[in-house]
Amino acid sequence: MSYLETPESDTWSDLLSGGRLPRLLLIWLGVWVGAVESLVTATIMPTVAASLGGYAYFSWAVAGFMVGTIVAVASAGRLAERFGLARACACAGAVLTAGCLISALAPDIYTFLLGRLVQGVGGGWISGFAMVAVAQFFPERHLARVFASATAIWALATVLGPLLGGVFAESGGWRGVFWLFSAQAVLFVFAALRLFRGAAPAERTVRVPWVQLGLLAAGVAALTLASLASHWLVVLGLMGVAGLMLFRLREVDQCATNRLLPGGAWRLQRTVGAGYATLFAVTAASMALLIYGPPILQALQGLSPLRAGYVVAVQAMAWTLAALAVSGADQEGERRWIRIGALTVLLGVLLLAAVMTSPVLWVLMGAAICGLGLGWGSSLMNRRLLRALAEGDRTIGSSALIAVRQVGGAVGAVLAGLAANLAGVAEGLSPESAERAAPVVFMAVLPMALLAVWCAWRFTRSAD
């Protein structure tokens, strides 16, 4: 080896060398497909409903996708171990292709919704397998940069997904978006079979934890139904069912030899458990802006849907830039930025609660602060978590990074939705109800932001 070679270099040029670039591009494609699939319905559903006659089922297109995604992501680690990463990815791409074709050819709203459920499963698997690929193909020194670049792809999907859906909807050819996504999924299938062949071999003795997945599915379904319910008693009842299912999942998984989550994931006193809890809480805290920011601004400020959507775009861009800026942090910097990130998210939530009825510039500032906090902590939390996992838990632990975030997003959506409905949004989003809801949706997720700060301190209390 030449003395000029630096095998332990932590630079972007080193990350993109050594045959890693094609695999990184495929991971980016997986992140893109999973992210954009979940966002495109925001702008095409009115057109779909007019075409298929399903205005009453707007929210079910999102709900079915969410349930399918979370359960699929949670099972991705074990499936990758049992069948091998390349074969599992090919299967996921085939499922996503099938789901897109079902929706593209749907003669009625029920068939369309079935397609969305299947798309959620396929997209969830692809997202989970992408994280498994990161853990298997990239050394620790590159993990923060890989996760930061994946965040940039997610941010791009956040901006372009609704825009892409709008283009197809306005042209009158909403089915075309699903034909496009099916083509992307087919590309993912063939690329994965080629580029992921060097992954860990399949272990046929590995079993999928069906009991835990069933409990997770029941809990997520209850959370999803709670986010759709209008009466607060129904919401609380469904949240109680969800809590019971997730508590039972914790009991079963801790005692199981065939676990769904890595060892220590359910214990806050362990580094792994505190890390997953931080991911869960910080994601839940960010959901109020994602769900209610644009419609509140439309009602209060008279903004168009596209301009109101810039609030989410500002948060996504700030998240990306912050993640890229700290991606080269050493372990001491990692601890510091994770703590600063959680505190910044808390500050952003408090600011948004205070300024949502103020001029839009203040709202954009709050969105940017939230985005900075998410970016400063997210990719470094992922890296620290993977480093803390036992060697045998890296595969299921990497796919759990997204699963835990997805469940946190569902909880945050329910909390914000309950607060919004109590403020009168269930009867319609008028300027009056929007003004009442503006502060309370953020106060509803404030406990999650406080929990994120506490868990971040526990997660980073000792050097590795």
Side-chain angles (χ1 to χ4, degrees):
M1 180 181 291
S2 166
Y3 72 92
L4 294 176
E5 292 181 275
T6 56
E8 297 302 319
S9 174
D10 176 18
T11 63
W12 285 103
S13 60
D14 182 49
L15 168 61
L16 301 178
S17 63
R20 286 183 283 267
L21 178 58
R23 285 171 172 160
L24 183 60
L25 290 174
L26 183 54
I27 289 169
W28 288 350
L29 176 60
V31 172
W32 161 264
V33 169
V36 78
E37 262 283 315
S38 66
L39 296 164
V40 72
T41 52
T43 46
I44 69 167
M45 273 311 295
T47 307
V48 173
S51 174
L52 301 180
Y55 284 102
Y57 297 96
F58 266 44
S59 54
W60 289 96
V62 177
F65 187 92
M66 179 184 292
V67 173
T69 297
I70 293 177
V71 176
V73 169
S75 64
R78 289 302 185 196
L79 291 173
E81 289 178 332
R82 180 172 177 80
F83 297 105
L85 183 60
R87 189 177 299 176
C89 283
C91 178
V95 171
L96 180 58
T97 302
C100 290
L101 293 178
I102 291 171
S103 289
L105 298 170
D108 53 56
I109 191 65
Y110 306 106
T111 307
F112 177 83
L113 294 176
L114 173 63
R116 288 298 291 166
L117 175 62
V118 176
Q119 289 163 44
V121 174
W125 275 339
I126 286 177
S127 298
F129 294 145
M131 294 300 100
V132 172
V134 171
Q136 291 195 9
F137 288 120
F138 291 87
E140 181 189 317
R141 67 182 186 277
H142 292 319
L143 290 181
R145 296 187 190 277
V146 174
F147 286 127
S149 67
T151 297
I153 300 300
W154 176 86
L156 186 65
T158 300
V159 176
L160 295 184
L163 178 62
L164 184 65
V167 169
F168 278 92
E170 290 184 9
S171 68
W174 62 266
R175 297 176 189 270
V177 74
F178 294 105
W179 289 107
L180 175 62
F181 289 156
S182 66
Q184 293 178 343
V186 170
L187 174 63
F188 184 84
V189 169
F190 287 103
L193 286 173
R194 178 177 179 82
L195 294 175
F196 287 166
R197 284 184 298 183
E203 300 179 29
R204 294 298 184 184
T205 57
V206 171
R207 294 178 293 113
V208 177
W210 294 113
V211 173
Q212 292 98 306
L213 284 172
L215 290 168
L216 177 63
V220 170
L223 277 175
T224 304
L225 290 173
S227 69
L228 303 178
S230 57
H231 197 285
W232 66 273
L233 282 176
V234 177
V235 174
L236 290 179
L238 288 168
M239 287 182 68
V241 172
L244 181 62
M245 292 297 102
L246 295 177
F247 179 78
R248 181 59 181 157
L249 169 61
R250 176 181 183 272
E251 287 187 327
V252 171
D253 204 46
Q254 283 191 122
C255 300
T257 55
N258 182 33
R259 297 189 309 273
L260 183 64
L261 293 181
W266 297 101
R267 299 177 182 274
L268 283 177
Q269 63 268 36
R270 300 279 296 275
T271 299
V272 172
Y276 282 124
T278 308
L279 288 176
F280 167 87
V282 80
T283 305
S286 69
M287 292 305 294
L289 178 65
L290 181 63
I291 296 174
Y292 287 103
I296 286 175
L297 288 177
Q298 290 178 60
L300 287 180
Q301 311 278 1
L303 300 182
S304 67
L306 181 60
R307 290 188 175 183
Y310 287 153
V311 175
V312 177
V314 164
Q315 177 176 277
M317 290 299 105
W319 184 339
T320 300
L321 293 174
L324 292 172
V326 302
S327 61
D330 58 17
Q331 290 187 23
E332 183 56 38
E334 174 186 88
R335 298 173 63 209
R336 181 173 63 252
W337 282 114
I338 289 173
R339 293 181 173 187
I340 292 174
L343 283 170
T344 306
V345 170
L346 173 61
L347 174 63
V349 170
L350 287 170
L351 180 60
L352 286 167
V355 304
M356 276 303 292
T357 57
S358 303
V360 71
L361 183 62
W362 286 99
V363 181
L364 292 174
M365 185 183 300
I369 290 173
C370 270
L372 289 173
L374 292 166
W376 282 329
S378 60
S379 58
L380 298 179
M381 281 192 282
N382 291 343
R383 183 178 72 178
R384 186 175 182 85
L385 257 171
L386 289 184
R387 189 167 63 245
L389 293 170
E391 187 62 33
D393 282 340
R394 284 178 66 86
T395 298
I396 60 172
S398 57
S399 64
L401 294 173
I402 294 183
V404 170
R405 286 185 184 275
Q406 293 276 12
V407 175
V411 170
V414 172
L415 292 174
L418 178 59
N421 289 340
L422 290 175
V425 171
E427 283 73 40
L429 191 63
S430 63
E432 294 75 19
S433 64
E435 187 171 6
R436 290 194 301 269
V440 298
V441 294
F442 294 98
M443 297 307 293
V445 297
L446 182 60
M448 292 292 102
L450 291 168
L451 177 63
V453 172
W454 182 71
C455 290
W457 249 256
R458 295 188 67 86
F459 183 37
T460 58
R461 59 185 172 181
S462 61
D464 293 336

